[in-house]
Amino acid sequence: MTTRDGRGSTERGRLVRLGFVDADQASDCIATLSARGFFGSEDRFEDAWLDALGQVANPDQALLSLMAIVLALPDDQAQALGAQVDTLLVNRLVAVLGASRALGDFLSRHPAQVHALAATSLQLTMDQRRSALLEVVGADAMVAGPVTNLPVRAANHALRIEYKRQLLQIAAADVADHAPMPWVGEQLADLASAALETALAIARSEVDDSHLCRLTIMGMGKTGGRELNYI
């Protein structure tokens, strides 16, 4: 176990060995997490979290994002997350945080979405992705030409959150569960197609007699070929 002075050479040396580039910054983050009660009273939780973070692509980025998420959670939820180390959820979480700053920022703004990573299976069919996106904006996925029943601003907000939640799950399957790249491309393309249709459902709500206006959004190229990448 390392010393808890926050700046000791023993701690900094261990952080460097784990792959942290800015050991002082990492030490400050650990001190903040400790003060929040994230590691509880058991030193093994801190050790296990640091070992997990040391396995990801960018430990410094992952730790900073983790700290932001923990600070955004109520105390009891932060402590409950800290105790889940070595679970499927945490393994996926640290892998995603180490690979994507954007998804880390999303989770710091919407920390409850961390639990989307606990799903046994992260794979959804195209119909499931379409239904989930349409339903969060209050549109009936079972009708032709669905229309949101939410105010446009609320519908746009709901669409953004659900899109990022599903993107988070795809990224976790990619970097933590080691899903094959063709599958990742298919899932990204299906999500993009579902998002386009949901955006159209929102647009219809702004047009009187929208059922008389026949409009289609087509996703071609890599989207249509189900070979989309993250960019």
Side-chain angles (χ1 to χ4, degrees):
M1 177 62 197
T2 60
T3 61
R4 286 185 175 273
D5 62 6
R7 293 284 181 178
S9 59
T10 301
E11 179 175 297
R12 288 200 299 272
R14 182 193 179 197
L15 292 172
V16 170
R17 289 193 297 274
L18 285 170
F20 291 92
V21 175
D22 190 335
D24 287 338
Q25 174 185 269
S27 184
D28 288 342
C29 289
I30 294 165
T32 298
L33 291 170
S34 295
R36 189 71 192 281
F38 180 68
F39 300 120
S41 59
E42 299 188 49
D43 291 344
R44 65 184 179 88
F45 285 162
E46 178 179 327
D47 291 338
W49 273 99
L50 292 179
D51 288 342
L53 288 163
Q55 302 299 312
V56 306
N58 188 331
D60 295 83
Q61 173 183 288
L63 181 56
L64 279 172
S65 294
L66 177 63
M67 182 182 69
I69 293 166
V70 170
L71 291 176
L73 285 168
D75 288 347
D76 58 336
Q77 293 181 28
Q79 292 162 12
L81 177 61
Q84 290 192 56
V85 69
D86 291 331
T87 63
L88 181 64
L89 182 154
V90 168
N91 290 338
R92 288 170 172 170
L93 174 62
V94 295
V96 168
L97 296 182
S100 172
R101 179 180 295 177
L103 288 174
D105 290 344
F106 166 69
L107 288 173
S108 68
R109 293 192 301 271
H110 305 283
Q113 298 300 326
V114 164
H115 295 287
L117 298 174
T120 303
S121 174
L122 299 180
Q123 182 170 356
L124 297 177
T125 66
M126 173 59 192
D127 285 342
Q128 288 172 327
R129 295 200 181 282
R130 174 182 179 275
S131 295
L133 283 169
L134 287 169
E135 287 169 6
V136 297
V137 302
D140 187 350
M142 301 304 292
V143 303
V147 183
T148 179
N149 60 16
L150 296 180
V152 170
R153 185 172 181 177
N156 285 336
H157 182 66
L159 171 57
R160 283 194 293 269
I161 292 176
E162 178 61 19
Y163 174 86
K164 285 291 183 64
R165 187 187 74 83
Q166 292 193 31
L167 183 63
L168 173 69
Q169 291 183 319
I170 294 170
D174 183 2
V175 299
D177 297 357
H178 309 295
M181 186 52 65
W183 177 90
V184 174
E186 291 172 359
Q187 297 291 305
L188 290 171
D190 289 349
L191 177 57
S193 296
L196 288 172
E197 181 168 1
T198 305
L200 182 55
I202 296 171
R204 287 192 185 101
S205 71
E206 298 188 274
V207 179
D208 294 333
D209 299 324
S210 62
H211 64 285
L212 300 177
C213 178
R214 307 300 295 172
L215 175 66
T216 297
I217 299 177
M218 297 182 66
M220 302 178 70
K222 288 183 177 294
T223 304
R226 299 183 78 205
E227 296 176 343
L228 201 64
N229 56 40
Y230 289 102
I231 294 174

